[in-house]
Amino acid sequence: MTGSSGQSLAGQAAAKAARREERMAWQLAAPAIILILVLVLLPTLAVFVFSLTNYELGYDDFQFIGFENYVELFSDRTFLISLKNTVLYTAIVAPCSVLIGLGVALLIESETRGRAFFRTAYFLPVASLLVAMATVFQYLLHPTIGPVNAILSMLGIAGPNWLGSSSTVLISLAIIGIWQSVGFNMVLFLAGLTAIPRDLYAAAEVDGAKSSWERFRLVTWPMLGPTMLFVITISIINAVKVFETVKTLTEGGPNKGSEVLLWTIYQEGFVYLRVGYASAMTVIFLAVLIVLMILQYRVVDRKVHYT
């Protein structure tokens, strides 16, 4: 009897300790939970509710119209063009910025001299304000006085009107997006490369991996899996969210050649004041991001080697 009562007392004490730890955990997590609720979940819910209305900024009256905004969206030529341009922009910028960032990181990591200089030089585009750099890009890509077309003309190639033609404007913005993203991806890859144990390279060399390509394929690439997954995720999100270059350099033109989702949402919500319609676009925008992330994690995460 004494032994059983002692065990029950010990069990009660353990249960009280567990409940006390649980309460403390909730208290510690409460500020973060409240911030997520107030700053993320409630605004998202508000956007979805507005998307079911015909609310226009400045008007007191609005009605719930169900999914009429969504029906209108998929017959809206401007929205469909912006969706297509966003997909094309992301398909160019995300993979190119990831691959170039990885290549630059590998080159810097293999070089013993000048590492700090090259890190700083490649990271400068990330630190610089893109709005302030707009004048520079307008000059570089100017069809008559720009140095890019001047170099092409010396090679016997007629340079296009980079930002003034609907056939080249999206490519021009994508090049600027790659320029801006490479430095950030490089820093992330450098952190991943630094975390790889040097012993693995020595072991691979003992096992017969003599060339740099074999060491990269057998050691570097698998060990960079978590970093690669994170970089791909960030690159896709940043590419889909393109806005500053469009607002500063082209404003969606010419002939909607650079019309992207965030620019269309901005126009509908803050220029035409159609908040309900812009909210429906925002919901579609968030849905696209969520689908991309789910597909990416299902496909890429299975191939990632976690240490």
Side-chain angles (χ1 to χ4, degrees):
M1 294 292 292
T2 305
S4 61
S5 62
Q7 290 177 356
S8 62
L9 290 174
Q12 290 175 4
K16 288 182 180 178
R19 286 195 296 270
R20 187 166 56 251
E21 289 181 2
E22 185 177 354
R23 284 196 301 270
M24 185 175 295
W26 279 108
Q27 290 171 1
L28 292 173
I33 294 172
I34 293 171
L35 286 175
I36 291 174
L37 180 66
V38 173
L39 299 179
V40 179
L41 297 181
L42 288 180
T44 303
L45 179 61
V47 167
F48 179 72
V49 172
F50 275 124
S51 74
L52 303 176
T53 70
N54 61 354
Y55 177 65
E56 295 186 16
L57 195 64
Y59 293 87
D60 295 331
D61 298 334
F62 66 91
Q63 297 174 340
F64 281 92
I65 58 174
F67 292 95
E68 289 183 18
N69 284 329
Y70 295 94
V71 174
E72 182 182 350
L73 273 179
F74 290 99
S75 60
D76 185 345
R77 177 176 173 270
T78 299
F79 173 74
L80 295 176
I81 289 174
S82 68
L83 186 62
K84 182 193 73 172
N85 287 342
T86 303
V87 171
L88 289 175
Y89 179 90
T90 304
I92 296 171
V93 172
C96 290
S97 62
V98 170
L99 293 176
I100 296 174
L102 176 60
V104 171
L106 289 171
L107 289 174
I108 292 176
E109 183 68 17
S110 63
E111 183 60 50
T112 56
R113 293 177 296 178
R115 283 188 183 181
F117 169 77
F118 287 111
R119 286 176 183 172
T120 304
Y122 279 105
F123 193 74
L124 278 177
V126 182
S128 62
L129 291 175
L130 193 57
V131 175
M133 295 296 293
T135 305
V136 177
F137 284 117
Q138 285 179 331
Y139 167 69
L140 291 174
L141 300 175
H142 195 278
T144 55
I145 63 173
V148 174
N149 279 0
I151 294 172
L152 291 176
S153 65
M154 288 190 295
L155 299 175
I157 302 172
N161 186 356
W162 295 99
L163 296 174
S165 171
S166 58
S167 60
T168 57
V169 63
L170 197 64
I171 297 174
S172 304
L173 294 178
I175 292 172
I176 297 172
I178 294 169
W179 170 85
Q180 189 183 24
S181 303
V182 164
F184 184 70
N185 292 344
M186 173 209 68
V187 171
L188 295 176
F189 279 125
L190 282 174
L193 290 171
T194 304
I196 298 176
R198 302 296 102 180
D199 296 344
L200 293 178
Y201 291 104
E205 190 170 353
V206 171
D207 290 339
K210 301 296 183 182
S211 66
S212 299
W213 166 249
E214 288 180 331
R215 289 195 294 271
F216 173 79
R217 182 175 60 87
L218 297 174
V219 179
T220 306
W221 181 254
M223 297 300 293
L224 274 180
T227 305
M228 179 65 71
L229 179 61
F230 179 74
V231 172
I232 291 175
T233 303
I234 293 298
S235 298
I236 290 176
I237 292 174
N238 289 338
V240 172
K241 293 194 307 180
V242 58
F243 176 78
E244 292 92 341
T245 50
V246 174
K247 177 69 175 74
T248 308
L249 295 172
T250 65
E251 295 191 345
N255 194 26
K256 299 187 184 300
S258 61
E259 188 92 18
V260 291
L261 273 177
L262 280 188
W263 172 252
T264 306
I265 293 171
Y266 168 79
Q267 288 282 100
E268 292 292 339
F270 296 97
V271 177
Y272 307 130
L273 306 180
R274 299 180 63 193
V275 174
Y277 193 58
S279 298
M281 288 186 180
T282 305
V283 171
I284 298 297
F285 173 76
L286 293 175
V288 169
L289 277 181
I290 292 170
V291 170
L292 285 174
M293 294 306 101
I294 291 174
L295 289 175
Q296 178 183 312
Y297 275 96
R298 283 185 176 274
V299 174
V300 180
D301 193 44
R302 296 175 182 175
K303 302 179 181 179
V304 171
H305 172 75
Y306 292 97
T307 54

